[in-house]
Amino acid sequence: MSASTPFQDEAHQHLTAGNVPAYMQALGQAARRAASELRRADTGLKNRALMAMGQRLADARAKILDANTEDLQRGRESGLESALLDRLALNDARIDAMIEGLQQVAGLPDPVGEIGDMRYRPSGIQVGKMRVPLGVIGIIYESRPNVTLEAASLCLKSGNACILRGGSEASQSNAAISACIQAGLADVGLPAGSVQVVATTDRAAVGEMISMPEYVDVIIPRGGKSLIERISRDARVPVIKHLDGVCHVYIDTTADPAKALAIAVNAKTHRYGTCNTMETLLVDAPIADLLLPELARAYAEHEVELRGCQRTQALLPQAAVAEEADWYAEYLAPVLAIKVVDGIDEAIAHIEQYGSHHTDAIVTQDYSLARRFMAEVDSSSVIVNASTRFADGFEYGLGAEIGISTDKLHARGPVGLEGLTTQKYVVFGDGQVRE
Amino acid sequence: MSASTPFQDEAHQHLTAGNVPAYMQALGQAARRAASELRRADTGLKNRALMAMGQRLADARAKILDANTEDLQRGRESGLESALLDRLALNDARIDAMIEGLQQVAGLPDPVGEIGDMRYRPSGIQVGKMRVPLGVIGIIYESRPNVTLEAASLCLKSGNACILRGGSEASQSNAAISACIQAGLADVGLPAGSVQVVATTDRAAVGEMISMPEYVDVIIPRGGKSLIERISRDARVPVIKHLDGVCHVYIDTTADPAKALAIAVNAKTHRYGTCNTMETLLVDAPIADLLLPELARAYAEHEVELRGCQRTQALLPQAAVAEEADWYAEYLAPVLAIKVVDGIDEAIAHIEQYGSHHTDAIVTQDYSLARRFMAEVDSSSVIVNASTRFADGFEYGLGAEIGISTDKLHARGPVGLEGLTTQKYVVFGDGQVRE
């Protein structure tokens, strides 16, 4: 599709020669160069690139599906489990969703260039902060090929170049999508280095990518906890990471029972495999005998297995014994740990000891307790009287989400376009010097 | 002064037994516990603690000066150079400045708890962001003992616990200041773990401190480039770092010559050893013959050594040849590299290739060039028509400065109280669940 540049040719030669480090360095150099063009690209140009990619995707629909069929066949042959095959599979509806996703990202406000807090200082200078791209973003992900396009579109819209390393099981699909991205970039005259999909399944590529701070400003791993832990441990580049979500709902005695029931059921059963799903329910002792039996009936309808503390078991004989490990567990499954506690202090102490600082909620009608929970629980999302399942970039109005950060520095909680940018100070003077 | 806690006793036993890792772990645990108290401490309590420390400092003035005399004597005996001895030395005026500094920090607005961007979402929940402390901050610094108090006050005001590791040459002074800090904390009932000064000069303490992410949320090294590079390389905890400042001033042809002259002289000669001092001057070719001879006369008065490109030397025969290494140099001395360039494109390209993304300025009367420089130069401070020396927390109105970050993530440029905090999402609902 797009004509290859001398630089891509050079990168490709390294790859053919089996020199993965040199190949990754070449990608890094190309990304760094593209980043300075993207930094100055205006919103209209970036949006036109996104729309052009969508058009190229629509045109190449058959090719993409063929490539995906190859991946699926290879996956079946190598015994990939059916859940993974499902995530890998593309069809017309999924390609439509990818194109629609591009249009949505094009429609989002551009965070780049926004200037805030501009004020005069006693010296006469004006000082403010301007939002600017981070530079080059490396994204490492697993089987779903639509992440390729999603990540590319969010990085591009926020003015960043990106290097994308997808799962080896999706390599043909990712290559076909990459060709559409390259064609779209070429259509509007943006450099090929703006979005580069790593074209080798060699694991050394990841090791190299996370060790070149001169070319990569931040790494965002998307995938299982072990992948993210490994990358965080070995990276010499800052990592925006998303570890586990051991989320709690605490039901205080003053809670409206109907709301408490609805929230506790929704937080557990709306979806089991998501990081913002409740894993431990904390119930204030005075309301436990009223609420727990009714909750247990609702959970039974959803076939949720219950594991409780002694006081829970006294009320719910059907509950298994919760071991110490249960309070730390991110089940990602229809299993729930339940603990009866004596008031908010014990609830907050439990969350601090066992939680993962992801998302925690209180259900209460007591103003002062709501205020305390809000101030004292040190999690990326703290919620009063709503389901933990709301902790999500779309629900929060970010318009898009590249992930949820469990880090404290830079970005915390759902990360949208703004999390892919930083701020620099801008100063306007008229000849001022320091006295 | 303050009664020691069982925890401090335990930490001290480890130290006596020469078990530095166990000692540092004990400090880490105490800091983590103190952090949850500090997170909920209100502004008034934190301010009272700062004022109490000031009072304790005033009361212990003689003890502090005695301890400092010991440090100075040991320093002289071990052949410390005079500049270091000067930074190490305390006197009445410096102690007064420390007390005044505490009062100033008490007077700053408290960033903790500030809620912004609160808005209703279609689901009916309200979502906003609340500013909260980072948790535990580790600060590693060199000879100046007043940094102990400065760092303690900024961390405390921003609701963070801190572990401070000063230079071994200042150990007696730091111990005396630490006793005042501890007494001040005890006066208002804040835990001793809120501020802990590492009581061993063993280098293993630093290695341990930067390797315990379970107890330390961020490390801020303050000192020379080699210290910071070593810590960044070895740390398993995020580091807010301040590497070099290779700052540029670009004088465009349309610049007002008087302003250009004032800014170029001030940016170089106001202070030589600071990171925001200009190290390379870029002059647009058409204005070079008018401006450079006059500038050279001004620099000669300040005995600034000039090193120039060929075109500079044609105009200023007294300038030495600038080698390739000069364009990368952070002289921190009365030396200046000068290059004549052809327009803003060459200037921006030079800054991108050789600069350190710290602070860069343009002097111009051309609106479009100012706008381009502002958007395209990727530095933590970008300045139009003012001296680079303004890149400073106090000049920017942050009220205080714990350092200047040359990182892109989290904090970029001068770091004040806000840079010691993060934001969490807060959600208010009334029983909402995800559909």
Side-chain angles (χ1 to χ4, degrees):
Chain A
M1 295 186 174
S2 70
S4 66
T5 65
F7 213 82
Q8 286 179 292
D9 290 343
E10 188 203 316
H12 193 255
Q13 279 169 19
H14 290 308
L15 196 55
T16 315
N19 189 345
V20 172
Y23 168 66
M24 293 306 293
Q25 293 275 323
L27 295 193
Q29 286 166 33
R32 183 57 81 209
R33 266 186 277 195
S36 22
E37 274 197 55
L38 284 175
R39 190 163 60 233
R40 53 196 90 176
D42 64 34
T43 311
L45 177 59
K46 293 185 288 190
N47 287 347
R48 286 195 300 280
L50 293 171
M51 300 309 279
M53 288 176 194
Q55 187 56 54
R56 292 290 190 162
L57 218 61
D59 295 346
R61 192 182 284 265
K63 274 192 190 169
I64 296 170
L65 291 176
D66 285 350
N68 189 245
T69 305
E70 279 182 51
D71 282 335
L72 286 168
Q73 190 165 339
R74 199 160 32 91
R76 269 184 228 103
E77 284 165 14
S78 64
L80 225 55
E81 53 184 287
S82 67
L84 273 180
L85 286 171
D86 177 59
R87 282 156 71 186
L88 179 54
L90 292 177
N91 53 36
D92 271 319
R94 284 191 176 177
I95 292 179
D96 286 343
M98 286 159 72
I99 296 170
E100 206 185 311
L102 285 168
Q103 291 160 350
Q104 279 170 3
V105 173
L108 290 176
D110 186 346
V112 174
E114 186 186 290
I115 297 185
D117 298 330
M118 180 65 77
R119 56 189 65 147
Y120 277 98
R121 298 290 309 147
S123 60
I125 61 172
Q126 276 170 289
V127 180
K129 280 174 155 187
M130 181 191 265
R131 200 160 276 292
V132 292
L134 284 170
V136 178
I137 299 177
I139 301 186
I140 298 164
Y141 51 104
E142 293 173 335
S143 49
R144 291 193 305 125
N146 47 339
V147 172
T148 306
L149 204 73
E150 199 181 296
S153 66
L154 294 176
C155 291
L156 182 72
K157 180 73 185 231
S158 52
N160 294 287
C162 62
I163 302 177
L164 308 175
R165 175 41 153 84
S168 57
E169 61 282 6
S171 58
Q172 297 300 317
S173 313
N174 285 339
I177 293 167
S178 168
C180 297
I181 293 172
Q182 285 301 321
L185 289 170
D187 287 344
V188 302
L190 279 173
S194 304
V195 180
Q196 296 176 98
V197 175
V198 175
T200 170
T201 56
D202 191 324
R203 282 192 162 219
V206 171
E208 197 61 32
M209 188 166 160
I210 64 175
S211 313
M212 36 186 214
E214 62 281 29
Y215 300 128
V216 178
D217 294 296
V218 63
I219 293 282
I220 305 179
R222 290 179 53 159
K225 194 177 168 183
S226 68
L227 169 81
I228 295 171
E229 280 181 336
R230 201 171 58 241
I231 286 170
S232 306
R233 199 186 49 234
D234 298 340
R236 288 187 47 233
V237 174
V239 177
I240 295 179
K241 59 180 170 296
H242 175 189
L243 295 171
D244 37 3
V246 181
C247 304
H248 301 76
V249 172
Y250 167 56
I251 303 178
D252 164 57
T253 297
T254 68
D256 175 324
K259 289 175 187 171
L261 194 71
I263 289 170
V265 171
N266 184 264
K268 182 70 233 180
T269 68
H270 183 254
R271 273 180 72 186
Y272 295 113
T274 46
C275 57
N276 54 16
T277 295
M278 167 178 67
E279 303 292 11
T280 296
L281 176 67
L282 303 171
V283 183
D284 198 12
I287 203 176
D289 52 352
L290 171 76
L291 218 59
L292 279 182
E294 203 169 343
L295 264 169
R297 276 191 292 278
Y299 286 132
E301 278 176 36
H302 289 89
E303 298 182 8
V304 173
E305 179 194 334
L306 305 181
R307 303 184 188 172
C309 66
Q310 286 195 340
R311 291 158 89 182
T312 301
Q313 286 186 304
L315 293 164
L316 306 177
Q318 69 271 43
V321 183
E323 312 283 351
E324 178 75 359
D326 283 295
W327 309 124
Y328 288 109
E330 184 184 23
Y331 298 118
L332 300 172
V335 181
L336 177 68
I338 305 180
K339 187 175 189 188
V340 176
V341 296
D342 291 314
I344 193 170
D345 287 319
E346 191 181 344
I348 291 178
H350 180 98
I351 291 170
E352 188 151 326
Q353 182 171 358
Y354 297 103
S356 67
H357 307 285
H358 190 294
T359 297
D360 298 292
I362 186 173
V363 188
T364 186
Q365 288 301 114
D366 186 295
Y367 172 84
S368 297
L369 293 189
R371 195 165 176 265
R372 273 196 61 194
F373 195 86
M374 193 62 60
E376 295 179 17
V377 172
D378 185 28
S379 299
S380 74
S381 286
V382 183
I383 296 180
V384 178
N385 291 335
S387 171
T388 54
R389 286 283 295 133
F390 282 108
D392 170 290
F394 294 93
E395 292 295 334
Y396 283 180
L398 306 185
E401 182 184 285
I402 193 114
I404 295 187
S405 163
T406 54
D407 287 322
K408 285 183 172 180
L409 264 68
H410 187 67
R412 196 176 187 198
V415 180
L417 289 178
E418 197 176 284
L420 301 180
T421 64
T422 180
Q423 288 183 303
K424 68 182 180 191
Y425 282 96
V426 289
V427 177
F428 295 103
D430 207 10
Q432 279 82 0
V433 296
R434 277 285 289 277
E435 301 296 326
Chain B
M1 295 188 177
S2 71
S4 66
T5 65
F7 212 84
Q8 287 179 291
D9 290 343
E10 189 204 314
H12 193 255
Q13 279 167 21
H14 289 309
L15 195 55
T16 315
N19 190 345
V20 172
Y23 169 66
M24 293 306 293
Q25 293 275 325
L27 296 194
Q29 285 166 34
R32 182 58 81 209
R33 266 186 276 196
S36 24
E37 273 197 57
L38 284 176
R39 191 164 59 234
R40 54 198 90 176
D42 64 33
T43 311
L45 176 59
K46 294 186 287 191
N47 288 346
R48 285 195 300 281
L50 294 171
M51 301 308 280
M53 288 175 194
Q55 186 57 53
R56 291 293 189 158
L57 219 60
D59 294 348
R61 192 182 284 266
K63 275 192 189 168
I64 296 169
L65 290 176
D66 284 351
N68 188 246
T69 304
E70 280 182 51
D71 282 334
L72 285 169
Q73 190 165 341
R74 197 161 32 90
R76 268 184 230 104
E77 284 165 14
S78 64
L80 227 54
E81 52 184 289
S82 66
L84 273 179
L85 286 172
D86 176 58
R87 282 154 71 186
L88 177 54
L90 293 177
N91 52 36
D92 271 317
R94 285 192 175 175
I95 292 181
D96 286 343
M98 287 159 72
I99 297 170
E100 206 185 312
L102 286 168
Q103 291 160 349
Q104 280 170 1
V105 173
L108 290 176
D110 186 346
V112 174
E114 185 187 290
I115 296 185
D117 297 331
M118 181 65 79
R119 54 189 66 147
Y120 277 98
R121 297 291 308 149
S123 60
I125 61 172
Q126 275 169 290
V127 181
K129 280 176 154 184
M130 181 191 265
R131 200 161 277 291
V132 292
L134 284 171
V136 178
I137 299 177
I139 301 186
I140 298 163
Y141 51 102
E142 292 173 338
S143 50
R144 291 194 304 126
N146 46 339
V147 172
T148 306
L149 203 74
E150 198 182 296
S153 65
L154 295 175
C155 291
L156 182 73
K157 180 73 186 233
S158 53
N160 295 287
C162 62
I163 302 176
L164 309 176
R165 174 40 152 86
S168 57
E169 61 283 5
S171 58
Q172 297 301 316
S173 313
N174 285 339
I177 293 168
S178 168
C180 298
I181 293 173
Q182 285 300 322
L185 289 169
D187 287 343
V188 303
L190 279 172
S194 305
V195 180
Q196 295 175 101
V197 175
V198 175
T200 169
T201 57
D202 191 326
R203 283 194 161 217
V206 171
E208 197 60 33
M209 188 166 159
I210 63 176
S211 313
M212 36 187 214
E214 62 281 29
Y215 300 127
V216 178
D217 294 296
V218 62
I219 293 281
I220 305 179
R222 291 179 52 160
K225 194 176 170 184
S226 69
L227 169 82
I228 296 171
E229 280 181 336
R230 201 171 60 241
I231 287 171
S232 306
R233 197 185 52 233
D234 298 340
R236 288 186 47 232
V237 174
V239 177
I240 295 179
K241 59 181 170 296
H242 175 190
L243 294 172
D244 37 3
V246 181
C247 303
H248 300 77
V249 172
Y250 168 56
I251 303 177
D252 164 58
T253 296
T254 67
D256 175 322
K259 291 175 185 170
L261 194 71
I263 290 170
V265 171
N266 184 264
K268 182 69 234 180
T269 67
H270 183 254
R271 273 179 71 186
Y272 295 113
T274 47
C275 57
N276 55 16
T277 295
M278 167 178 66
E279 303 292 12
T280 296
L281 175 68
L282 303 171
V283 183
D284 198 12
I287 204 176
D289 53 351
L290 172 74
L291 218 59
L292 280 183
E294 204 169 341
L295 264 170
R297 275 190 292 278
Y299 287 131
E301 276 176 37
H302 289 88
E303 295 180 13
V304 173
E305 179 195 333
L306 305 181
R307 302 185 189 172
C309 66
Q310 285 196 341
R311 291 158 90 183
T312 301
Q313 286 187 303
L315 293 164
L316 305 177
Q318 69 270 44
V321 183
E323 311 283 351
E324 178 75 0
D326 283 295
W327 309 123
Y328 289 108
E330 185 184 25
Y331 298 118
L332 299 173
V335 182
L336 177 69
I338 304 179
K339 189 177 186 188
V340 175
V341 297
D342 290 313
I344 193 170
D345 287 319
E346 192 181 344
I348 292 177
H350 180 98
I351 292 169
E352 188 151 325
Q353 181 171 357
Y354 298 102
S356 66
H357 307 285
H358 190 296
T359 298
D360 298 292
I362 186 172
V363 188
T364 185
Q365 288 301 112
D366 185 296
Y367 171 84
S368 298
L369 292 190
R371 196 164 175 267
R372 273 195 61 194
F373 194 86
M374 193 61 61
E376 296 179 16
V377 171
D378 185 27
S379 299
S380 73
S381 287
V382 183
I383 296 180
V384 177
N385 291 335
S387 170
T388 54
R389 287 282 296 134
F390 282 108
D392 170 290
F394 294 92
E395 292 295 333
Y396 283 180
L398 307 184
E401 183 185 287
I402 193 115
I404 294 187
S405 163
T406 56
D407 288 323
K408 284 182 171 180
L409 265 70
H410 187 67
R412 196 177 188 197
V415 180
L417 289 177
E418 197 176 284
L420 300 180
T421 64
T422 180
Q423 288 182 304
K424 68 183 180 191
Y425 282 96
V426 289
V427 177
F428 295 102
D430 206 10
Q432 279 82 0
V433 298
R434 274 288 287 275
E435 299 297 326

